[in-house]
Structures are given as C-alpha cells and as structure tokens.
Amino acid sequence: MKYAKRLQTLMLGALFMLAGMPSWAMENSQGGPARWELNLQPPVTAIARDIYSIHNWMLYVCLAIFVLVFGVMFYSIFKHRKSLGHKPATFHESTAVEIAWTAVPFFIVIAMALPATKTIVAMKDTSNADITIKVTGMQWKWGYDYLKGDGQGIAFLSNLSTPREQIGSPGVEPTQARGANYLLEVDNPLVVPVNKKIRMITTANDVIHSWGVPAFGVKQDAIPGFVRDTWFKADQIGTYRGQCVELCGKEHAFMPIVVNVVSDADYKAWTEAKQKEMAASADDPSKVWTIDELKVRGEKVFTANCAVCHQANGKGLPGAFPALDGSPIVNGPKAGQINIVMNGKNAMPVWKTVLSDTDIAAAITYTRNSWSNKAQENIVQPAEVLAARK
C-alpha cells in the first residue's frame, strides 16, 4: 500500500507540473509557437484565457479519473491476488454500482459543459464591435478590408515574406538559413488597436481556408460563398502570429497570419499613413503605359500572386497548374487571357476582385513578353481591363 501511494503521488505531481507549465518554459517566439512549448500559447484576450483555464480544468478532471480508476484497479490486483489466498467473488448486477457509474460521469460532464458553454456563447457575440474587418482567404494569401470604424476604407493583401531561398522547392535545397519567424512572417500585417473589440468577417474566393491566431483564442473558417464572423479584443500590445488551419492546397504551409496590436496613437498614425499610401498608388485606368513600364510592374505582380502556381520560369506544375511559357492562351488573342485572369478558371481564383485594372494589365503584358512567348498582341492597357469588367 505504501508503494502504491508513492507511485500515485509521483504521477499526480509530474502530470500537474506539465499541465501547468508557465511561459518561462518557452524561448522567445516573437508572438508565435516556441520550442519546448508544453501548453497553449500565452493568452492575450479574455476568451483565450477562458479557453486556457477550461483546457487545464478538463485535464485535471481527466487526470483525477485516471489516477482514481487505475489506482483502485492496480491496488485490487496487487492486494487480492490468488497467491495471498483470495478467491474471486461470484456476485454480479449490483444496483448501487450501476447507479454510481451512471450518475458520477453525468455530473462530471455537466461540470465540464457549463464553463465551456459559457465561453462558446461569448465567442459568438460579435455585437458592439469597435472595428469591423473583412478577411478573404485565397490561394495562398489573405485579403483585409477595413469595413467599419477607424481605418474604414483601408484594403490590402498579406503575403508570406519568408524568402524562397530559405524555403527551397521540390528537389532544390534552401540556400539560406531559416529566420526566427520562418513561414510566419508577412509583407503586410494586420494592424489593430489594443483594448478594442475587433469583429472579423471571413470568406474565401476559391477553397475553404481558416483564419486562426492561438493567442487570441480565435479560429474561424473562411468558406467561398458564405460569411462567418468572430471577434477578439487583445489587451496586450505586441505581434501575434497564426496560420491558415485548413488544408487549402499545395501552398497551405505558406499562408501565415500576423497581427500587430498597437496603441491608439500608433494605430491612428498607421491608418493615416496607409490611406495616404493607397491614395498615392491609385492609378488612372485611362493612362497609357509603355510596354517596358507594364513589364516592370507586371513582374512584381506576377511574382507576388502567380509564381507560386505557375512558377517563376512560367513552366507551371504538370498535372496541377498549366505552363504559361508557350501557352496558346498567352500567345493568342489577349481578350481570352484577360477573361481568364479576371474571372478565374478551375483552381485559378477570380483576380478582378483582388487586383486593380493596372495590375491585371501589367501581369498579362509581362507573361506575353517573357520566357519564349512572343505574342502578336503583346501589350494590354488598363483601359482594356476596365472595359472587360462592364
């Protein structure tokens, strides 16, 4: 009996220590996952803290059941073995035991369900938001549109910024050492003010994605043709990272989320700077561009949006994504390519809702004058794309 009690005490202490391991067990993760992390990421919202507490509470309940059941079982086996002269009992169908093992689990489930239900109801309450942001998932990036509140009208795309030299490609080893935030860094992070309720409306324009940030306790699917919403209210300034948590295609691992939570003053400065940037970059669709101007801009648009599928060399991926190098569509009448780029086809998304007329014209012009392509209609002006929208 003495050794059984010691074993139970050691097991209980070890598992409780692991379950309650605080953040000092982690290395600095800069807002994302860390090495040797033994629990959920440190929460920075009320909902995330509730999830953290419920997780530990349920783990403790399961641990207590485990220790009790196996403790009794092993004690019974050890103390009532045949070698000590014990004989097996012949009774069965004990009414008291039947009632006990039905009632006790019922009350345990109720005790678990009550706090969980309260938190789930709170997670769904998106009313009275200070800022509303639409999140659009697409292969493989995020689009953000500030719909209501401070910053209304701001819109941008958020792409993975980890260099390909750190990632490599099939059959090609990376040539650079991986950074601290490998595959968890973007060119345009989402920026929100601290202590403000942020409502996130999610949708997608191709396949199912899922927007999730563990430190916020948020995970919401983005489904084409449907609108879902969630919310968070971060109470600590900092940078927080997540990823698309649906298997959305071959580049699923390259679709990170970065949220910068800043002070009210810094958020105001950011919105003013972003609005000025958007105004400065707005293009006149009636402007006539030279072919060299379009090719330079088109290469940037292609690299950011198209190269992940069609490859930087235009060769595509056989059986998955068609090659643009030597493509009859790229070398044929430009109206056909404009229509496909704008409206999408098969796995190709609808770019007219994401890219400007000038960006679409530039990308098409770039492909028609790159690699081995020598299209007769080798230039597309923004005005032609605008006309195709009507």
Side-chain angles (χ1 to χ4, degrees):
M1 182 65 180
K2 177 177 64 175
Y3 296 110
K5 286 185 176 179
R6 287 182 179 178
L7 177 62
Q8 291 179 18
T9 302
L10 287 172
M11 290 173 60
L12 183 66
L15 289 172
F16 267 81
M17 183 181 69
L18 290 174
M21 189 72 75
S23 59
W24 50 257
M26 302 186 302
E27 297 179 10
N28 181 10
S29 61
Q30 300 182 38
R35 294 179 180 178
W36 308 112
E37 192 169 18
L38 297 177
N39 212 323
L40 306 179
Q41 291 185 24
V44 295
T45 68
I47 292 293
R49 277 187 282 274
D50 287 345
I51 294 172
Y52 192 95
S53 297
I54 293 170
H55 162 76
N56 285 341
W57 153 243
M58 291 189 176
L59 182 61
Y60 296 154
V61 171
C62 294
L63 179 61
I65 293 171
F66 171 84
V67 172
L68 178 63
V69 171
F70 280 87
V72 170
M73 183 182 73
F74 285 122
Y75 171 77
S76 299
I77 293 171
F78 181 75
K79 295 297 291 183
H80 299 88
R81 62 191 186 272
K82 183 179 180 180
S83 61
L84 295 181
H86 287 277
K87 296 184 180 298
T90 58
F91 73 90
H92 60 87
E93 296 182 3
S94 169
T95 302
V97 172
E98 295 280 355
I99 293 174
W101 71 31
T102 301
V104 172
F106 173 79
F107 288 114
I108 291 174
V109 170
I110 294 298
M112 289 180 168
L114 288 176
T117 301
K118 180 181 177 181
T119 299
I120 289 173
V121 170
M123 290 169 65
K124 300 301 181 182
D125 181 13
T126 59
S127 61
N128 302 316
D130 297 299
I131 297 174
T132 300
I133 302 173
K134 177 185 175 185
V135 184
T136 304
M138 58 196 80
Q139 294 176 312
W140 285 272
K141 62 179 69 66
W142 296 100
Y144 296 109
D145 294 90
Y146 287 64
L147 303 181
K148 183 181 177 182
D150 295 338
Q152 181 174 339
I154 292 176
F156 56 89
L157 294 176
S158 183
N159 294 276
L160 172 73
S161 63
T162 299
R164 273 284 168 181
E165 289 77 13
Q166 293 183 20
I167 301 171
S169 58
V172 179
E173 293 294 325
T175 58
Q176 290 183 6
R178 294 176 176 177
N181 296 306
Y182 174 74
L183 297 185
L184 287 173
E185 51 197 345
V186 299
D187 53 3
N188 289 307
L190 182 69
V191 180
V192 298
V194 69
N195 293 321
K196 298 291 184 182
K197 186 172 183 178
I198 312 298
R199 181 188 179 204
M200 307 296 290
I201 299 175
T202 63
T203 188
N205 71 354
D206 38 44
V207 299
I208 298 177
H209 301 278
S210 192
W211 196 89
V213 178
F216 296 164
V218 168
K219 175 192 174 295
Q220 183 61 62
D221 284 355
I223 305 172
F226 292 85
V227 173
R228 299 287 186 271
D229 65 350
T230 186
W231 69 278
F232 65 87
K233 185 178 181 180
D235 51 27
Q236 295 181 33
I237 292 174
T239 299
Y240 304 99
R241 303 176 191 274
Q243 289 176 300
C244 175
V245 283
E246 282 288 348
L247 293 175
C248 58
K250 62 177 286 292
E251 299 289 327
H252 162 70
F254 305 150
M255 196 171 170
I257 300 160
V258 179
V259 182
N260 287 342
V261 179
V262 299
S263 66
D264 288 338
D266 288 343
Y267 181 71
K268 183 178 180 180
W270 177 82
T271 57
E272 291 175 352
K274 200 69 177 178
Q275 287 165 344
K276 290 178 181 178
E277 176 188 322
M278 291 176 62
S281 62
D283 297 308
D284 178 5
S286 64
K287 175 184 175 181
V288 176
W289 295 62
T290 67
I291 189 170
D292 289 333
E293 290 174 329
L294 288 170
K295 285 171 61 178
V296 170
R297 179 161 176 169
E299 183 177 11
K300 296 178 181 178
V301 176
F302 181 87
T303 300
N305 300 282
C306 312
V308 69
C309 296
H310 297 293
Q311 303 300 301
N313 58 9
K315 298 297 184 183
L317 293 173
F321 302 105
L324 300 184
D325 185 11
S327 166
I329 295 175
V330 176
N331 287 287
K334 56 187 175 183
Q337 189 178 6
I338 293 173
N339 178 63
I340 289 178
V341 172
M342 290 184 63
N343 300 303
K345 183 179 180 181
N346 299 328
M348 186 172 182
V350 179
W351 288 112
K352 67 181 179 182
T353 61
V354 179
L355 299 178
S356 68
D357 297 334
T358 303
D359 283 343
I360 292 175
I364 293 175
T365 300
Y366 170 73
T367 60
R368 288 178 163 256
N369 293 274
S370 298
W371 314 301
S372 66
N373 295 334
K374 292 180 172 53
Q376 184 174 358
E377 297 179 358
N378 66 339
I379 185 169
V380 175
Q381 293 292 344
E384 297 175 85
V385 178
L386 177 61
R389 289 182 184 270
K390 299 178 180 178

